[in-house]
Amino acid sequence: VWTIAAALRLGVGYDLESAGPIYPIHMLLAKLATLALLAPVVTGISTLRSGKRHRFHRMAAFSAFGMIVLSAGTGIWMIAAATPI
């Protein structure tokens, strides 16, 4: 939540559309990364209840982390390419 709020505050000072095609790519990745955070929560609850699905939880957690890293990378690229207002 803090990261999303910080990104929104940062984005106010830039013309993000001027960043080119990275803008929609970043927005898609950011939304998918946020959605991907649900998978470790669901598999974590399942792991706590059964104790047998830790492999799926680990895969879900690493996948979500990978999406977050990709989203952060494209966000940095987008800000670097955008024109300050």
Side-chain angles (χ1 to χ4, degrees):
V1 173
W2 178 86
T3 307
I4 295 170
L8 290 173
R9 282 194 307 269
L10 177 66
V12 172
Y14 291 90
D15 176 19
L16 298 177
E17 297 288 337
S18 71
I22 194 62
Y23 175 66
I25 293 169
H26 168 71
M27 293 306 293
L28 175 65
L29 285 174
K31 290 174 185 175
L32 290 174
T34 303
L35 185 62
L37 289 173
L38 292 176
V41 171
V42 170
T43 58
I45 291 169
S46 177
T47 298
L48 288 174
R49 287 187 178 167
S50 70
K52 294 183 180 181
R53 298 184 185 185
H54 60 84
R55 179 173 49 124
F56 297 118
H57 176 66
R58 185 178 305 126
M59 288 189 317
F62 282 128
S63 296
F65 181 72
M67 290 295 295
I68 291 167
V69 169
L70 282 174
S71 179
T74 58
I76 292 167
W77 181 3
M78 180 180 66
I79 291 297
T83 305
I85 295 177

